[in-house]
Amino acid sequence: MEEDILNDLKQLIESAKTQYVKQLLESELTKVENRKNAAAKATENAVNKTSMKTTAIVKNIDRYGWDQSDKFVKLYISLSGINTVPKERINVTFTSSSVTLLVSDFNKKNYALNIKGLNGTIVPNSSTYKVKTDDIIISMKKEKTGENWPKLTKSEVKDTPATKPGLDPNEDPSKGIMDMMKKMYDEGDDEMKRTIAKAWTESREKGMQGGMM
């Protein structure tokens, strides 16, 4: 279409008998050429953006921490420098039984986390996320306040052996408990860490009192 208009204008310019008409036609010719070039540039940019999205490496996030309170289940995803990513490139989608995180074009990679079959039902409209300096914290609102999730997903519950959580039957039970508490401390929030630190302190004080008797 644009090419046909350009050809017609060029023919009219050649046949124009007055300078005034020729200038008008040349002005219109310039406008059409600029419009054509702008459209071509826009198409080129769109192709480049599509190419970047399709060729970017997709990295699945398989390491994250989680804990829970009476009202929320929280996920902690560590991505160094994530706070530099524009908010429109970070997308978190909630359903009643799943959560999906997508981070686009971060360090020339796309990051994805998709957790299905949550161990309990969540309320999508009341679930949120926050972006920290090096972390994304996802807060999923429990539908049933006070409900305890033994595992994050139902599949993990099915795969758990019929032994006490976090304990290896072939190891010293006290060592298994300490390892489990250390893991909870490393992955927990500030409130969780304070609670565990207090429990450790009280345990040591009782041990010292028992040794003095």
Side-chain angles (χ1 to χ4, degrees), residues 27-47:
S27 176
E28 187 63 27
L29 178 66
T30 300
K31 291 179 182 179
V32 175
E33 287 178 337
N34 290 340
R35 192 164 62 233
K36 178 185 176 183
N37 292 336
K41 186 66 175 178
T43 301
E44 181 183 353
N45 290 338
V47 170

Side-chain angles (χ1 to χ4, degrees), residues 13 28 37 53 61 76 90 129 141 145 210:
I13 290 171
E28 187 63 27
N37 292 336
K53 290 181 179 179
I61 300 171
Y76 302 88
I90 302 174
Y129 72 94
K141 178 70 168 62
T145 300

Side-chain angles (χ1 to χ4, degrees), residues 26 68 85 95 116 132 166 168 205:
E26 287 175 345
Q68 63 181 311
V85 176
T95 71
K116 297 180 179 180
K132 301 293 187 179
D168 185 340
E205 287 177 351

Side-chain angles (χ1 to χ4, degrees), residues 53-73:
K53 290 181 179 179
T54 55
T55 58
I57 298 172
V58 177
K59 182 175 178 60
N60 290 321
I61 300 171
D62 52 13
R63 298 193 66 176
Y64 54 86
W66 77 282
D67 64 12
Q68 63 181 311
S69 62
D70 286 343
K71 295 182 179 180
F72 289 90
V73 174

